[in-house]
Amino acid sequence: MEESAELFLKYLTYEKRCSPLTVIAYRSDLELFTSFMQQKGYGLMCDCKARHIRRWIMHLLSTGMMARSVNRKIASVRSYFRFLCNEELRETNPCTIIFNVKTPKKLPIFLHADDVDLMLDECNFEDSYEGVRDRTILQLFYLTGMRLAELVNLTDNQIDFENDYILVNGKRSKQRIIPFTKFLKTILNAYLELRNAEFGKEVVGGRLFLTNKGEPIYPKLVYRIVHKHIEMVSTITKKSPHIMRHTFATVLLNNGAELMAIKELLGHSSLAATQIYAHNDFEHLNKEYKQAHPWAKNKEE
Protein backbone atom coordinates (compact mmCIF):
# COMPACT_ATOMS: atom_id res chain seq x y z
CA MET A 1 0.00 0.00 0.00
CA GLU A 2 1.31 3.44 -0.90
CA GLU A 3 2.41 5.81 1.84
CA SER A 4 -0.30 8.35 1.00
CA ALA A 5 -2.95 5.63 1.32
CA GLU A 6 -1.63 4.63 4.74
CA LEU A 7 -1.85 8.27 5.84
CA PHE A 8 -5.44 8.36 4.63
CA LEU A 9 -6.35 5.20 6.56
CA LYS A 10 -4.77 6.62 9.74
CA TYR A 11 -6.83 9.77 9.20
CA LEU A 12 -9.99 7.67 9.01
CA THR A 13 -9.01 5.74 12.13
CA TYR A 14 -7.79 8.47 14.46
CA GLU A 15 -9.38 11.70 13.24
CA LYS A 16 -12.65 10.57 11.65
CA ARG A 17 -12.92 7.73 14.20
CA CYS A 18 -14.39 5.36 11.63
CA SER A 19 -15.18 1.82 12.78
CA PRO A 20 -12.57 -0.89 12.15
CA LEU A 21 -14.85 -2.53 9.58
CA THR A 22 -15.18 0.75 7.68
CA VAL A 23 -11.41 1.21 7.59
CA ILE A 24 -10.99 -2.38 6.38
CA ALA A 25 -13.46 -1.71 3.56
CA TYR A 26 -11.56 1.44 2.50
CA ARG A 27 -8.26 -0.45 2.59
CA SER A 28 -9.67 -3.24 0.45
CA ASP A 29 -10.99 -0.78 -2.16
CA LEU A 30 -7.71 1.14 -2.35
CA GLU A 31 -5.68 -2.06 -2.60
CA LEU A 32 -7.89 -3.16 -5.49
CA PHE A 33 -7.32 0.13 -7.31
CA THR A 34 -3.58 0.03 -6.59
CA SER A 35 -3.37 -3.50 -8.00
CA PHE A 36 -5.17 -2.38 -11.17
CA MET A 37 -2.79 0.57 -11.62
CA GLN A 38 0.23 -1.72 -11.22
CA GLN A 39 -1.07 -4.39 -13.58
CA LYS A 40 -1.74 -1.82 -16.29
CA GLY A 41 1.58 -0.06 -15.73
CA TYR A 42 -0.06 3.27 -15.01
CA GLY A 43 2.23 4.15 -12.10
CA LEU A 44 1.33 5.21 -8.57
CA MET A 45 -2.29 5.50 -7.47
CA CYS A 46 -1.68 8.92 -5.93
CA ASP A 47 -0.56 10.26 -9.35
CA CYS A 48 -3.40 8.78 -11.42
CA LYS A 49 -5.54 10.62 -13.96
CA ALA A 50 -9.30 10.62 -14.33
CA ARG A 51 -9.00 8.32 -17.36
CA HIS A 52 -7.31 5.69 -15.19
CA ILE A 53 -10.22 5.74 -12.76
CA ARG A 54 -12.70 5.42 -15.62
CA ARG A 55 -10.82 2.42 -17.01
CA TRP A 56 -10.80 0.85 -13.56
CA ILE A 57 -14.57 1.33 -13.28
CA MET A 58 -15.10 -0.30 -16.70
CA HIS A 59 -12.83 -3.15 -15.61
CA LEU A 60 -14.87 -3.73 -12.43
CA LEU A 61 -18.13 -3.76 -14.38
CA SER A 62 -16.68 -6.17 -16.96
CA THR A 63 -16.00 -8.68 -14.16
CA GLY A 64 -19.71 -8.73 -13.34
CA MET A 65 -19.50 -6.61 -10.20
CA MET A 66 -22.83 -5.04 -9.24
CA ALA A 67 -23.25 -1.31 -9.78
CA ARG A 68 -23.82 -0.68 -6.07
CA SER A 69 -20.52 -2.36 -5.19
CA VAL A 70 -18.69 -0.38 -7.87
CA ASN A 71 -20.16 2.87 -6.54
CA ARG A 72 -18.95 2.06 -3.05
CA LYS A 73 -15.42 1.60 -4.39
CA ILE A 74 -15.70 4.87 -6.30
CA ALA A 75 -16.70 6.57 -3.05
CA SER A 76 -13.59 5.18 -1.34
CA VAL A 77 -11.29 6.48 -4.07
CA ARG A 78 -13.12 9.80 -4.12
CA SER A 79 -12.58 10.22 -0.35
CA TYR A 80 -8.91 9.31 -0.74
CA PHE A 81 -8.23 11.99 -3.36
CA ARG A 82 -10.23 14.57 -1.41
CA PHE A 83 -7.94 13.86 1.54
CA LEU A 84 -4.83 14.28 -0.63
CA CYS A 85 -6.04 17.66 -1.87
CA ASN A 86 -7.00 18.87 1.61
CA GLU A 87 -3.58 17.88 2.92
CA GLU A 88 -1.93 19.58 -0.10
CA LEU A 89 -0.39 16.28 -1.19
CA ARG A 90 -1.92 16.76 -4.61
CA GLU A 91 -3.06 19.85 -6.50
CA THR A 92 -6.03 18.51 -8.46
CA ASN A 93 -8.70 15.94 -7.71
CA PRO A 94 -9.28 13.53 -10.64
CA CYS A 95 -12.60 12.44 -9.14
CA THR A 96 -14.31 15.78 -9.77
CA ILE A 97 -15.27 14.51 -13.24
CA ILE A 98 -15.99 10.92 -12.15
CA PHE A 99 -19.65 9.98 -11.75
CA ASN A 100 -21.35 7.02 -10.12
CA VAL A 101 -22.60 4.10 -12.17
CA LYS A 102 -26.36 4.09 -12.69
CA THR A 103 -28.06 1.48 -10.55
CA PRO A 104 -31.23 -0.28 -11.68
CA LYS A 105 -34.28 0.59 -9.63
CA LYS A 106 -35.73 -2.44 -7.90
CA LEU A 107 -39.40 -2.71 -7.05
CA PRO A 108 -39.95 -3.36 -3.36
CA ILE A 109 -40.72 -6.94 -2.34
CA PHE A 110 -43.98 -7.25 -0.42
CA LEU A 111 -46.47 -9.79 0.84
CA HIS A 112 -49.82 -10.21 -0.87
CA ALA A 113 -52.87 -9.45 1.27
CA ASP A 114 -53.89 -13.12 1.26
CA ASP A 115 -50.50 -14.11 2.66
CA VAL A 116 -50.80 -11.54 5.44
CA ASP A 117 -54.29 -12.75 6.31
CA LEU A 118 -53.02 -16.32 6.39
CA MET A 119 -50.09 -15.36 8.62
CA LEU A 120 -52.09 -13.35 11.13
CA ASP A 121 -55.38 -15.24 11.16
CA GLU A 122 -54.53 -18.86 10.54
CA CYS A 123 -50.98 -19.39 11.82
CA ASN A 124 -50.98 -20.99 15.23
CA PHE A 125 -49.71 -18.51 17.81
CA GLU A 126 -49.20 -19.98 21.26
CA ASP A 127 -51.61 -18.79 23.92
CA SER A 128 -48.71 -17.47 26.00
CA TYR A 129 -46.91 -14.18 26.50
CA GLU A 130 -44.49 -14.91 23.65
CA GLY A 131 -47.27 -15.97 21.30
CA VAL A 132 -49.39 -12.88 21.98
CA ARG A 133 -46.31 -10.62 21.79
CA ASP A 134 -45.18 -12.06 18.44
CA ARG A 135 -48.63 -11.69 16.91
CA THR A 136 -48.89 -8.11 18.23
CA ILE A 137 -45.51 -7.24 16.72
CA LEU A 138 -46.54 -8.56 13.30
CA GLN A 139 -49.88 -6.74 13.44
CA LEU A 140 -48.20 -3.51 14.51
CA PHE A 141 -45.77 -3.71 11.58
CA TYR A 142 -48.61 -4.37 9.13
CA LEU A 143 -50.95 -1.71 10.52
CA THR A 144 -48.43 1.12 11.00
CA GLY A 145 -45.52 0.48 8.59
CA MET A 146 -42.98 1.53 11.22
CA ARG A 147 -39.31 0.63 10.95
CA LEU A 148 -37.61 -2.11 12.95
CA ALA A 149 -35.69 0.35 15.15
CA GLU A 150 -38.85 2.38 15.75
CA LEU A 151 -40.75 -0.68 16.96
CA VAL A 152 -37.90 -1.99 19.12
CA ASN A 153 -37.55 1.35 20.94
CA LEU A 154 -41.29 1.96 21.27
CA THR A 155 -42.41 2.84 24.81
CA ASP A 156 -45.81 2.79 26.50
CA ASN A 157 -45.81 6.60 26.68
CA GLN A 158 -45.67 6.91 22.89
CA ILE A 159 -49.09 5.31 22.55
CA ASP A 160 -52.02 7.70 23.04
CA PHE A 161 -55.05 5.49 23.66
CA GLU A 162 -57.32 8.48 24.20
CA ASN A 163 -56.66 10.02 20.77
CA ASP A 164 -55.78 6.76 18.98
CA TYR A 165 -52.31 7.50 17.65
CA ILE A 166 -48.68 6.46 18.14
CA LEU A 167 -45.94 9.08 18.37
CA VAL A 168 -43.02 7.49 16.53
CA ASN A 169 -39.39 8.58 16.90
CA GLY A 170 -37.98 8.15 13.40
CA LYS A 171 -34.63 8.71 11.72
CA ARG A 172 -32.59 11.73 12.76
CA SER A 173 -34.91 12.20 15.80
CA LYS A 174 -37.77 13.17 13.48
CA GLN A 175 -41.13 12.49 15.08
CA ARG A 176 -44.35 11.59 13.31
CA ILE A 177 -47.85 10.56 14.29
CA ILE A 178 -49.40 7.32 13.06
CA PRO A 179 -53.14 6.91 13.75
CA PHE A 180 -54.50 3.51 14.64
CA THR A 181 -57.90 1.83 14.45
CA LYS A 182 -60.11 0.35 17.14
CA PHE A 183 -58.90 -3.06 15.98
CA LEU A 184 -55.26 -2.25 16.76
CA LYS A 185 -56.32 -0.52 19.98
CA THR A 186 -57.95 -3.75 21.14
CA ILE A 187 -54.85 -5.75 20.18
CA LEU A 188 -52.49 -3.42 22.07
CA ASN A 189 -54.67 -3.33 25.15
CA ALA A 190 -54.88 -7.12 25.25
CA TYR A 191 -51.10 -7.40 24.91
CA LEU A 192 -50.43 -4.81 27.62
CA GLU A 193 -52.82 -6.53 30.01
CA LEU A 194 -50.96 -9.82 29.55
CA ARG A 195 -47.50 -8.20 29.71
CA ASN A 196 -48.32 -6.32 32.91
CA ALA A 197 -49.71 -9.46 34.50
CA GLU A 198 -46.50 -11.27 33.56
CA PHE A 199 -43.89 -8.65 34.47
CA GLY A 200 -45.71 -5.79 36.22
CA LYS A 201 -46.29 -2.24 35.01
CA GLU A 202 -42.82 -0.94 35.89
CA VAL A 203 -40.98 -2.43 32.91
CA VAL A 204 -37.37 -1.73 31.95
CA GLY A 205 -37.07 1.66 30.25
CA GLY A 206 -40.82 1.79 29.74
CA ARG A 207 -40.39 -0.38 26.64
CA LEU A 208 -43.53 -1.73 25.03
CA PHE A 209 -42.13 -5.09 23.95
CA LEU A 210 -40.12 -7.37 26.22
CA THR A 211 -38.37 -10.70 25.95
CA ASN A 212 -39.72 -13.70 27.84
CA LYS A 213 -37.34 -12.71 30.66
CA GLY A 214 -38.75 -9.22 30.99
CA GLU A 215 -35.85 -7.45 29.28
CA PRO A 216 -36.25 -4.91 26.44
CA ILE A 217 -36.67 -6.67 23.11
CA TYR A 218 -33.80 -6.37 20.62
CA PRO A 219 -33.59 -6.17 16.79
CA LYS A 220 -32.31 -9.70 16.12
CA LEU A 221 -35.16 -11.24 18.06
CA VAL A 222 -37.76 -9.20 16.17
CA TYR A 223 -36.07 -10.15 12.89
CA ARG A 224 -36.31 -13.84 13.78
CA ILE A 225 -39.98 -13.50 14.71
CA VAL A 226 -40.86 -11.84 11.40
CA HIS A 227 -38.69 -14.19 9.32
CA LYS A 228 -40.22 -17.26 10.94
CA HIS A 229 -43.82 -16.27 10.25
CA ILE A 230 -43.30 -14.94 6.73
CA GLU A 231 -41.58 -18.21 5.87
CA MET A 232 -44.74 -20.07 6.89
CA VAL A 233 -46.89 -18.35 4.29
CA SER A 234 -44.67 -17.10 1.46
CA THR A 235 -41.77 -18.07 -0.77
CA ILE A 236 -40.44 -14.53 -1.26
CA THR A 237 -36.65 -14.32 -1.00
CA LYS A 238 -36.50 -11.61 1.66
CA LYS A 239 -38.33 -12.11 4.94
CA SER A 240 -37.24 -9.14 7.03
CA PRO A 241 -39.30 -6.63 9.06
CA HIS A 242 -38.79 -4.14 6.22
CA ILE A 243 -40.93 -6.39 4.01
CA MET A 244 -43.83 -5.65 6.36
CA ARG A 245 -43.16 -1.93 5.84
CA HIS A 246 -43.21 -2.43 2.06
CA THR A 247 -46.45 -4.39 2.41
CA PHE A 248 -48.06 -1.64 4.47
CA ALA A 249 -47.23 1.00 1.86
CA THR A 250 -48.28 -1.18 -1.08
CA VAL A 251 -51.63 -2.06 0.49
CA LEU A 252 -52.38 1.62 1.13
CA LEU A 253 -51.47 2.63 -2.42
CA ASN A 254 -53.44 -0.19 -4.04
CA ASN A 255 -56.49 0.83 -2.04
CA GLY A 256 -56.46 4.45 -3.09
CA ALA A 257 -54.22 6.27 -0.59
CA GLU A 258 -52.32 9.27 -1.96
CA LEU A 259 -48.54 9.18 -2.13
CA MET A 260 -48.20 12.27 0.06
CA ALA A 261 -50.23 10.59 2.82
CA ILE A 262 -48.12 7.42 2.56
CA LYS A 263 -44.96 9.57 2.69
CA GLU A 264 -46.06 11.11 6.00
CA LEU A 265 -47.07 7.76 7.50
CA LEU A 266 -43.73 6.19 6.55
CA GLY A 267 -41.72 9.17 7.74
CA HIS A 268 -39.89 9.69 4.45
CA SER A 269 -38.02 12.97 4.12
CA SER A 270 -38.85 13.30 0.42
CA LEU A 271 -41.53 12.06 -1.95
CA ALA A 272 -38.89 10.42 -4.13
CA ALA A 273 -38.35 7.75 -1.47
CA THR A 274 -42.08 6.97 -1.46
CA GLN A 275 -42.48 6.77 -5.23
CA ILE A 276 -40.96 3.28 -5.34
CA TYR A 277 -44.36 2.08 -4.15
CA ALA A 278 -46.12 3.57 -7.16
CA HIS A 279 -46.48 0.21 -8.80
CA ASN A 280 -49.00 -2.59 -9.16
CA ASP A 281 -48.29 -6.29 -9.10
CA PHE A 282 -48.92 -7.99 -12.46
CA GLU A 283 -51.94 -9.93 -11.25
CA HIS A 284 -53.76 -6.74 -10.27
CA LEU A 285 -52.62 -4.97 -13.44
CA ASN A 286 -53.78 -7.84 -15.64
CA LYS A 287 -57.19 -7.91 -13.94
CA GLU A 288 -57.69 -4.16 -14.35
CA TYR A 289 -56.62 -4.33 -18.00
CA LYS A 290 -59.06 -7.10 -18.89
CA GLN A 291 -61.91 -5.34 -17.12
CA ALA A 292 -61.25 -1.91 -18.61
CA HIS A 293 -60.17 -2.48 -22.22
CA PRO A 294 -63.12 -3.25 -24.57
CA TRP A 295 -61.04 -5.50 -26.81
CA ALA A 296 -59.35 -7.42 -24.04
CA LYS A 297 -62.45 -9.54 -23.52
CA ASN A 298 -64.37 -9.25 -26.79
CA LYS A 299 -61.50 -10.30 -29.05
CA GLU A 300 -60.80 -13.39 -26.93
CA GLU A 301 -64.39 -14.69 -27.13
Side-chain angles (χ1 to χ4, degrees), residues 73-89:
K73 297 182 188 306
I74 294 173
S76 296
V77 172
R78 186 178 285 128
S79 296
Y80 164 70
F81 282 109
R82 188 184 303 120
F83 167 79
L84 293 186
C85 291
N86 289 340
E87 295 296 317
E88 298 182 352
L89 298 174

Side-chain angles (χ1 to χ4, degrees), residues 143 164 179-188:
L143 289 167
D164 298 340
F180 57 78
T181 62
K182 290 182 179 179
F183 175 69
L184 182 55
K185 187 174 184 177
T186 302
I187 291 169
L188 290 170

Side-chain angles (χ1 to χ4, degrees), residues 227-242:
H227 186 280
K228 171 187 173 183
H229 288 91
I230 291 180
E231 197 169 42
M232 291 180 180
V233 299
S234 177
T235 58
I236 59 175
T237 55
K238 293 184 178 180
K239 302 176 180 68
S240 68
H242 216 69

Side-chain angles (χ1 to χ4, degrees), residues 122-298:
E122 298 186 30
C123 282
N124 292 323
F125 290 89
E126 293 182 10
D127 191 19
S128 62
Y129 168 71
E130 283 188 74
V132 174
R133 178 203 64 194
D134 293 356
R135 186 171 185 174
T136 304
I137 285 173
L138 291 167
Q139 289 168 324
L140 194 60
F141 272 134
Y142 183 54
L143 289 167
T144 67
M146 65 176 62
R147 299 179 178 93
L148 171 60
E150 293 168 348
L151 183 138
V152 167
N153 294 309
L154 202 60
T155 65
D156 292 7
N157 293 335
Q158 289 174 247
I159 305 174
D160 189 328
F161 285 102
E162 185 176 344
N163 297 299
D164 298 340
Y165 70 78
I166 301 174
L167 182 64
V168 178
N169 295 317
K171 289 184 176 180
R172 294 176 291 276
S173 301
K174 183 181 178 182
Q175 292 187 323
R176 70 183 186 280
I177 292 176
I178 302 179
F180 57 78
T181 62
K182 290 182 179 179
F183 175 69
L184 182 55
K185 187 174 184 177
T186 302
I187 291 169
L188 290 170
N189 275 319
Y191 163 73
L192 284 170
E193 184 178 349
L194 180 60
R195 187 204 68 185
N196 293 341
E198 191 85 12
F199 304 107
K201 291 184 179 181
E202 298 300 323
V203 297
V204 180
R207 294 287 185 85
L208 177 64
F209 292 111
L210 306 176
T211 67
N212 60 352
K213 295 181 179 180
E215 297 294 326
I217 206 166
Y218 49 93
K220 283 188 178 180
L221 177 56
V222 177
Y223 182 94
R224 289 201 298 267
I225 292 167
V226 175
H227 186 280
K228 171 187 173 183
H229 288 91
I230 291 180
E231 197 169 42
M232 291 180 180
V233 299
S234 177
T235 58
I236 59 175
T237 55
K238 293 184 178 180
K239 302 176 180 68
S240 68
H242 216 69
I243 297 303
M244 299 300 293
R245 182 170 163 85
H246 290 327
T247 303
F248 168 80
T250 302
V251 164
L252 288 181
L253 189 66
N254 286 346
N255 285 279
E258 295 182 358
L259 274 177
M260 282 301 296
I262 297 174
K263 168 186 173 294
E264 294 302 319
L265 289 169
L266 292 175
H268 284 160
S269 58
S270 68
L271 189 60
T274 314
Q275 287 175 331
I276 63 169
Y277 298 106
H279 67 87
N280 287 292
D281 59 276
F282 180 76
E283 183 180 344
H284 175 75
L285 194 63
N286 191 34
K287 180 181 177 182
E288 291 295 315
Y289 166 70
K290 288 184 176 180
Q291 288 180 347
H293 200 290
W295 280 21
K297 183 177 179 181
N298 295 338

